[in-house]
């Protein structure tokens, strides 16, 4: 049945599916994991870094990109599609600054990206973008925001979310561990993001890339040394927890 | 031609159309940022017509000379307690008085006002279009449009038809997150932010009166009186201004209409003090 309705994007199947859009969502599930956390005074994006080939320069593969000084996004899915979307979003941010004389709100640029994606699910001769995006930033009134878009063109606001491979596992971890205490301080929010990624990433801190935006400050990509330090702290905390539990059991 | 559109390549004729929209008409439903969707060709110029060329031939000596009259006086100034907007109400068609009761202030919404001077048709149409865009902005973005953005939209609309004979001098006044705002926008695409503006052919008289009486720390009553005087004296000397003074006060919680005083009565009242 699916075979007859999945060639053209503009054709619904009898039971109401747009198969091309669903296949695009499958492409997203193949991409490397990205996680986003909205703290009180900080927003954090973490991605799983794919191991680079020996001769490849590491710097050219960036999955976290700034859209403007106060907004950035991470994606999961087809990197080439993401490049186009990011470029259009960057132009839109500047265009908005030119016409409205104000920086974009995170919701506005998310709506723009989602509208762009939806347009490509309803046109002849085009296929949907095969990416989901996590867009984070601060509005100019200081509120932190996290939004997620998907290939069908819908978007929602989240407190914390994950996309890509093993997104379900990470989201379950976040549902259990995202509490007001857990994100009380900036470092706590960063550690929560790292803990969430460590659930699914293979070899620890080396394969994690992290970026943060603090209120009124531009995007900062953490260096691998800082990540290693934080991972070491997390390991220590885990051991201390395990020790405490052992002692409780023995007494 | 999906690849063509997706790659962002623009044909020369498309680019040229954006500057001189005298080409084939086509509806663009994509919200175009540099003029927020007003590119829907409500006023497409038919192919073969060149308004700017026609206008040039009209202003040369020896040809038929069309003079654009800007019969009006409007003024607006910022002071400690907000913005005062005062306009006259005479609409003239050459030497004929079309109306003594024209409304030259468009109430875009409860915190934005636009004044009109120049061609009445141009002002009314474009400012109503601006009001539509402001309402759409509010619906789409869940917050009110800023005065800077509203005036930018109007000046972009003017720029789209630059050189084609539009005649409009307008002041966009409002109160937004940045406080009181006052912008002057005209048919050339000029857009200026300032503390005081006056437009129309009676503007020199109004400038004289307001400049000599203005103080930043005026009380509200003093500011009302200054606005009234500015328009009244301008209508007294300028043949193309008259009728009544329509005055608005833009405050933090929105505008209020202050008064609608007949200028002949005002002048009579001032004369008592003058001689």
């Amino acid at each position: 049945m699916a075979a007859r309705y999945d060639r053209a994007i503009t054709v619904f199947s009898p039971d109401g599916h747009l198969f091309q859009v669903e296949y695009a969502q499958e492409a997203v599930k193949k991409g490397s994991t990205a996680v986003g956390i909205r703290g009180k005074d900080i927003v954090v994006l973490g991605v799983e870094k794919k191991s680079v080939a020996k001769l490849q320069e590491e710097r050219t593969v960036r999955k976290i990109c700034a859209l403007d000084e106060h907004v950035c996004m991470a994606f999961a899915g087809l990197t080439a599609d993401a490049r186009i979307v990011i470029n259009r979003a960057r132009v839109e941010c500047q265009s908005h600054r030119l016409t409205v004389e104000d920086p974009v709100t995170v919701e506005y640029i998310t709506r723009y990206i989602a509208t762009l994606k939806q347009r490509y699910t309803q046109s002849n001769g085009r296929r949907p973008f095969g990416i989901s995006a996590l867009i984070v930033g601060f509005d100019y009134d200081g509120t932190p925001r996290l939004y997620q878009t998907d290939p069908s063109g819908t978007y929602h606001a989240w407190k914390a979310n994950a996309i890509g491979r093993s997104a379900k596992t990470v989201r379950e971890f976040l549902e259990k561990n995202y509490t007001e205490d857990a994100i009380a301080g900036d470092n706590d929010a960063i550690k929560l993001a790292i803990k969430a990624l460590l659930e699914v990433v293979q070899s620890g801190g080396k394969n994690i890339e992290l970026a943060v935006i603090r209120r009124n400050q531009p995007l900062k990509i953490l260096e691998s040394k800082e990540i290693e330090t934080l991972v070491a702290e997390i390991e220590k905390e885990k051991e201390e927890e395990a020790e405490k539990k052992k002692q409780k059991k023995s007494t | 031609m999906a690849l063509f559109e997706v790659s962002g390549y623009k044909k020369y004729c498309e680019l040229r159309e954006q500057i001189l929209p005298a080409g084939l008409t086509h509806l663009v439903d994509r919200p175009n940022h540099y003029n927020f969707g007003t590119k829907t060709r409500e006023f497409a110029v038919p192919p073969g017509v060149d308004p700017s060329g026609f206008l040039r031939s009209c202003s040369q000596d020896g040809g038929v000379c069309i003079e654009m009259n800007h019969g009006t006086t409007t003024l607006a100034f910022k002071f400690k307690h907000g913005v005062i907007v005062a306009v006259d109400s005479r609409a003239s068609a050459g030497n004929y008085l079309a109306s003594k009761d024209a409304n030259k202030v468009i109430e875009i919404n409860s915190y934005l006002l636009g004044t009109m001077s120049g061609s009445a048709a141009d002002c009314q149409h474009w400012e109503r279009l601006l009001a539509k865009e402001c309402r759409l902005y509010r619906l789409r973005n869940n917050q009110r449009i800023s005065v800077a953005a509203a005036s930018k939209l109007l000046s972009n609309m003017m720029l789209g038809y630059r050189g084609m004979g539009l005649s409009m001098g307008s002041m966009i006044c409002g109160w937004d997150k940045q406080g009181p705002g006052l912008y002057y926008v005209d048919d050339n695409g000029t857009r200026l932010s300032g503390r005081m503006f006056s437009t129309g052919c009676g503007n020199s008289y109004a400038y004289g009166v307001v400049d000599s009486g203005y103080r930043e720390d005026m009380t509200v009553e003093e500011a009302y009186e200054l606005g009234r005087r500015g328009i009244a004296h301008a209508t007294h000397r300028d043949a193309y201004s008259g009728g009544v003074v329509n005055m608005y006060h833009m405050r933090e919680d929105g505008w209020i209409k202050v008064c609608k005083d007949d200028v002949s009565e005002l002048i009579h009242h001032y004369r008592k003090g003058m001689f």
Side-chain angles (χ1 to χ4, degrees), chain A residues 4-70:
Chain A
R4 285 166 60 201
Y5 297 101
D6 62 2
R7 289 295 156 221
I9 179 68
T10 48
V11 174
F12 272 110
S13 72
D15 51 347
H17 292 272
L18 276 173
F19 279 112
Q20 280 298 310
V21 174
E22 296 185 6
Y23 297 162
Q25 280 160 349
E26 291 298 316
V28 168
K29 286 191 198 146
K30 286 199 158 56
S32 49
T33 320
V35 71
I37 300 211
R38 184 184 86 194
K40 294 213 178 78
D41 306 305
I42 191 174
V43 286
V44 186
L45 279 177
V47 297
E48 173 196 355
K49 248 196 311 200
K50 275 216 176 94
S51 43
V52 286
K54 258 207 314 203
L55 293 174
Q56 195 179 57
E57 296 265 14
E58 225 189 276
R59 293 281 135 184
T60 48
V61 187
R62 275 255 175 271
K63 284 198 44 160
I64 304 179
C65 310
L67 298 180
D68 200 350
E69 288 171 343
H70 60 296

Side-chain angles (χ1 to χ4, degrees), chain B residues 40-108:
Chain B
T40 53
R41 307 279 181 162
E42 288 151 28
F43 277 108
V45 179
V49 171
D50 182 17
S52 23
F54 167 71
L55 276 175
R56 243 172 283 130
S57 66
C58 289
S59 53
Q60 279 160 14
D61 300 70
V64 175
C65 199
I66 300 182
E67 274 173 29
M68 302 290 187
N69 289 325
H70 297 246
T72 271
T73 313
T74 69
L75 68 86
F77 57 86
K78 278 195 227 181
F79 72 119
K80 196 165 129 200
H81 301 284
V83 190
I84 298 291
V85 178
V87 302
D88 77 314
S89 68
R90 176 172 292 185
S92 46
N95 295 327
Y96 165 70
L97 272 191
S99 165
K100 65 173 172 34
D101 221 342
N103 189 8
K104 299 189 188 179
V105 174
I106 177 171
E107 299 157 5
I108 295 173

